[in-house]
Amino acid sequence: MNQFDLSPFVSQFLGAAEFQSYAILDGHIHDGWYIHSDHPKYAETILQKVNKHVFTDPDGLMENIYQITSFLQKKYPSQKQLTLIPTISGIIFFQALDGTIWRMYERIPNCYSTQITQNLRQVYEAGRVTGYFLKQLQDYPV
């Protein structure tokens, strides 16, 4: 992933907040960065550039993510959920002049991802949380 100025994209979500970025090097679909900022509400976030070769309908992708995360946040308000951060203008993603699609999420504290499991406990937990996620969506109006 090439290093370049993320300011034009971060500012769409965080305004004039000062920030530092750290590339997420183990992503396999999207380019991503951890963003640490002085924003009063969103100090720890993840910025992603959506891979439009994999997701050819970014509008549909983002609407689907928004609908599902909103449903879960309403149904389970005390549970920490994946949370999209809207742009300053209130939309759920930013499309740059070059056509790239950018989105930002709140970073969930104490969470991490792994590409290769180290033990059976990690395999168990991955299956458990996937099943729990699907169970929470059993009432989702499809």
Side-chain angles (χ1 to χ4, degrees), residues 83-96:
T83 303
L84 282 167
I85 298 171
T87 65
I88 299 298
S89 61
I91 59 175
I92 57 176
F93 66 91
F94 170 67
Q95 183 166 4

Side-chain angles (χ1 to χ4, degrees), residues 106-123:
E106 284 188 44
R107 188 169 181 192
I108 300 173
N110 303 314
C111 287
Y112 67 95
S113 62
T114 183
Q115 300 299 316
I116 300 170
T117 57
Q118 303 298 315
N119 53 57
L120 288 177
R121 180 73 183 163
Q122 287 180 331
V123 174

